[in-house]
Amino acid sequence: MEQWANFLFHGELNDFLPKQYRQVGQQYRFSGSPALKDAIEALGVPHPEVGHVQQNGREVLLKARLEPFAEVQVFPVVPEASAVELPPLQVPVPKPARFVLDVHLGKLARYLRLLGFDTLYQNHYSDADIAALAAQEQRIVLTRDVGLLKQKQVVWGYWLRSQHWEEQLREVINQFNLLPQVQPFCRCLACNGEIARVSKEAVLPLLPPKTRLFFQEFYQCPHCRRVYWKGSHYEKMERFLSHLRSSVNLLP
């Protein structure tokens, strides 16, 4: 027999809903005994973005069964630094924060690495690959694909509201309170390896002619062998960090 329950989503969870259902209740029809998680995701909201759920006024887990004719209220997770106590369903993110990104977020991956964050990204990753890496290595999934966040293996995840990488970066820093963990210029932007200082002689064959003449300090990624020095690319990154500091006051 078909039954129904009323759902009301709060705050940023409305970002996942069709416009006609935002900020208002909607009826969910069902048969059998689905878990609340299944009903919530069927309505469009991925479980990593849910902070707590009330069914008929009682706090419940996502695995709880949806009761016939229930009144269900669903509340979002909160930015990690914004509350003394996190909502009951929100799992604190491991520190240091580590990420795995979907195939459309290559530029965001590069700038997270610039800030020193261990960030996995490959343009051939499937959703299953990303979910498996997230579970095996305790990584936060960043994506524009809501379906990816609905995978059962994903514990920490965030759906990026913006489609522009600089605003996406601000979103991620704010959501996961990354300010205290920022360590710029310690990772390879190309492959995510940790770079280390090397002698000029060790990398001399890899340097452009003018770089050999004008620079003495070098760093190298031990994985992909890419070499870094404080040239125009470094100055460009410094300007970016300065802009980020002045525009959003996120970095020290």
Side-chain angles (χ1 to χ4, degrees):
M1 182 178 70
E2 187 179 65
Q3 299 165 322
W4 54 264
N6 288 324
F7 280 77
L8 178 62
F9 293 90
H10 293 266
E12 290 192 346
L13 297 183
N14 284 276
D15 295 343
F16 299 99
L17 305 180
K19 288 183 179 180
Q20 66 267 31
Y21 295 127
R22 294 176 185 175
Q23 310 299 337
V24 297
Q26 60 177 302
Q27 193 174 88
Y28 176 71
R29 296 185 175 276
F30 64 98
S31 58
S33 302
L36 278 163
K37 173 184 178 295
D38 297 332
I40 289 168
E41 293 194 326
L43 291 170
V45 176
H47 67 273
E49 297 251 0
V50 175
H52 66 112
V53 180
Q54 293 179 351
Q55 181 167 231
N56 294 326
R58 303 187 312 274
E59 291 286 340
V60 290
L61 299 177
L62 285 171
K63 66 181 181 182
R65 292 299 172 186
L66 176 59
E67 298 174 3
F69 319 116
E71 297 291 332
V72 181
Q73 297 196 62
V74 188
F75 300 83
V77 295
V78 299
E80 292 227 351
S82 69
V84 175
E85 186 175 351
L86 295 178
L89 299 181
Q90 183 169 344
V91 182
V93 172
K95 295 181 181 178
R98 302 194 296 171
F99 299 92
V100 56
L101 277 60
D102 77 23
V103 297
H104 305 292
L105 300 176
K107 198 158 191 178
L108 177 61
R110 179 180 175 86
Y111 279 90
L112 282 169
R113 291 169 181 170
L114 169 66
L115 298 182
F117 293 101
D118 181 346
T119 303
L120 296 185
Y121 168 82
Q122 294 288 341
N123 59 15
H124 58 74
Y125 280 162
S126 68
D127 284 2
D129 292 333
I130 292 171
L133 284 166
Q136 293 163 9
E137 301 182 12
Q138 293 194 316
R139 292 182 179 272
I140 303 164
V141 175
L142 301 179
T143 183
R144 285 279 302 163
D145 176 6
V146 175
L148 172 56
L149 291 185
K150 293 180 181 180
Q151 297 220 16
K152 189 180 296 186
Q153 290 174 285
V154 177
V155 176
W156 304 280
Y158 180 75
W159 182 68
L160 295 153
R161 273 60 173 178
S162 176
Q163 298 186 48
H164 303 287
W165 70 266
E166 192 167 350
E167 185 57 37
Q168 290 173 344
L169 185 61
R170 294 189 184 96
E171 287 183 45
V172 175
I173 292 173
N174 282 326
Q175 185 68 24
F176 297 106
N177 189 29
L178 299 183
L179 171 59
Q181 301 178 49
V182 169
Q183 295 181 351
F185 307 116
C186 68
R187 287 195 174 271
C188 177
L189 304 186
C191 81
N192 194 48
E194 294 185 79
I195 62 175
R197 189 164 181 174
V198 292
S199 68
K200 185 174 183 177
E201 291 73 21
V203 295
L204 198 61
L206 302 175
L207 303 179
K210 288 187 178 180
T211 302
R212 296 181 189 181
L213 288 175
F214 297 115
F215 297 93
Q216 305 302 321
E217 185 177 327
F218 296 93
Y219 298 80
Q220 188 175 36
C221 174
H223 300 292
C224 71
R225 314 307 294 175
R226 181 168 176 172
V227 180
Y228 294 87
W229 60 93
K230 294 182 178 180
S232 60
H233 60 292
Y234 178 85
E235 294 168 359
K236 179 182 176 182
M237 296 303 184
E238 282 276 73
R239 288 194 297 271
F240 163 73
L241 290 174
S242 177
H243 170 69
L244 199 57
R245 292 185 190 104
S246 62
S247 65
V248 294
N249 196 31
L250 289 176
L251 302 181

